[in-house]
Structures are given as structure tokens and as C-alpha cells.
Amino acid sequence: LFLSLFAIATPNIVYANLTLSVFDCGLLAFDDLSAFGITNDETEVRALFVPCYLVSHDDHYMVWDAGLPLSDVGRTDSNTRYEKSFIDQLSEMNIDTSEIDFVAFSHMHYDHVGAANAFSEATLLIQGTEAVAAFEHPEDNPVFRPELYADLLSSNRTTLNGDYDVFGDGSVRIISAPGHTPGHQALSLELENFGPLILSGDRH
């Protein structure tokens, strides 16, 4: 959460041919934090920012995490806020979903794959353990909502078994970090004007 919030302050960071853009893909508020493995007395934080990310590397685009479900767009109630869809925000940058070359998610929980079906033309980068959990046994985890990523079943897929150098130059690396889900992963970026940055997803 803290890494994501810090990245918001610098939404367009350029490392030679590498750019990171951060999008507001919702906000979740909780009265009780016990589901996160902490007590309400341990933190005053009750609202969690839900980011989406676009990585631009030379002429290639990669999406990392896809926010809350698109069906939540327009909600502004006390528990969920999602004002403008990730798809519309990309469109405002003159980027169509068909232009995305790679899509990857820190994990397949519903608040990270909300717009996943829109990127079915991209190559999915996913840990093998996460693919099994999400596509073969989603009923074992109630936070998976397979209808949100059903279109990715027939998309091109690179199945990972550990760390992965996305573009082959070390600037964008997927880091295997299982625990929160079987195939949870983080994204490591080397940004010239910022230094190394880790987008950590969820951990506990």
C-alpha cells in the first residue's frame, strides 16, 4: 500500500525507454481490519487505494493489476469508490486495450483483476501455481471471481515458475512472492530518476 501511494506522487517516471503510469482504480474502506490479520488498534488506516499500472518500454505496453471490477464504476458509497474505469483512463491517453502487449497481476483476487477481460488480446504472465488456483480451483478461494478473468482462459499465456525478466534487459522483472495467494508476485522496476521500485501487491 505504501509503495503504491508513494508512486502516485510521481505518476510518470522515465528510465531511458521505460515509463510508469499509475491510475486510480478504486478505493475500499473497512470498519474491521481483522480479515487482514491485524487488529483495529494496530493502525488508523481504514481506506485502501486500489491502483492500476501501465508500464511503457520502447514500443511495448504492459498492464500490471487491473483494479476493482468494472461493474463497480460509478460507485461512491461508504465502502467502495470507483469513479472512472481503467479502460476510460487509458483511452484518455489514446491507448486502446488492443495495444497492450503483456498483462500481469500481483494475484488474482477480485480487487486486482477487475478489468482483466479487457486485455484478452495481451499475453498473460502468471505463475503456474496461481494459474492452477485461479483457473482450475477458484472455488477454493472466495476472493477469486473467475467471471472477471474468464476471457483470459483462451489468451496467449506465459506460465512462470519463479522470477521473470519481462523485456530481457533487467528493467522490468516479475518477482515470485507466494503467500498471500499460491502464485502471488511483485514487480520490480529500474527507473532512472527514481531508482529501484517494487510494486508489492498484497502481502501478509
Side-chain angles (χ1 to χ4, degrees), residues 140-161:
D140 293 341
N141 191 326
V143 191
F144 288 163
R145 295 185 188 174
E147 70 275 8
L148 296 176
Y149 51 80
D151 291 352
L152 301 187
L153 275 168
S154 57
S155 66
N156 292 328
R157 184 188 308 178
T158 297
T159 302
L160 311 181
N161 183 26

Side-chain angles (χ1 to χ4, degrees), residues 67-135:
L68 292 178
L70 296 179
S71 59
D72 285 339
V73 174
R75 287 186 61 178
T76 57
D77 57 57
S78 59
N79 299 115
T80 303
R81 176 192 59 76
Y82 193 2
E83 296 180 1
K84 183 180 292 185
S85 81
F86 183 29
I87 309 306
D88 288 343
Q89 293 179 69
L90 287 174
S91 181
E92 289 177 353
M93 296 176 63
N94 296 315
I95 297 173
D96 188 80
T97 57
S98 64
E99 298 179 74
I100 305 301
D101 300 287
F102 302 101
V103 61
F105 311 99
S106 57
H107 58 297
M108 301 298 281
H109 282 171
Y110 82 94
D111 54 331
H112 292 260
V113 299
N117 284 332
F119 303 104
S120 61
E121 296 181 50
T123 296
L124 173 65
L125 306 176
I126 187 172
Q127 300 293 328
T129 49
E130 191 77 356
V132 170
F135 293 119

Side-chain angles (χ1 to χ4, degrees), residues 19-20 22 38 69 80 84 103 116 125 129 136 185 187 191 193:
T19 301
L20 172 68
V22 186
I38 59 175
T80 303
K84 183 180 292 185
V103 61
L125 306 176
T129 49
E136 299 182 25
Q185 53 191 13
L187 192 68
L191 299 164
N193 296 326

Side-chain angles (χ1 to χ4, degrees), residues 41 49 85 113-114 135 139 174 183 195 200:
D41 295 333
F49 171 69
S85 81
V113 299
F135 293 119
E139 68 281 357
I174 290 176
S200 63

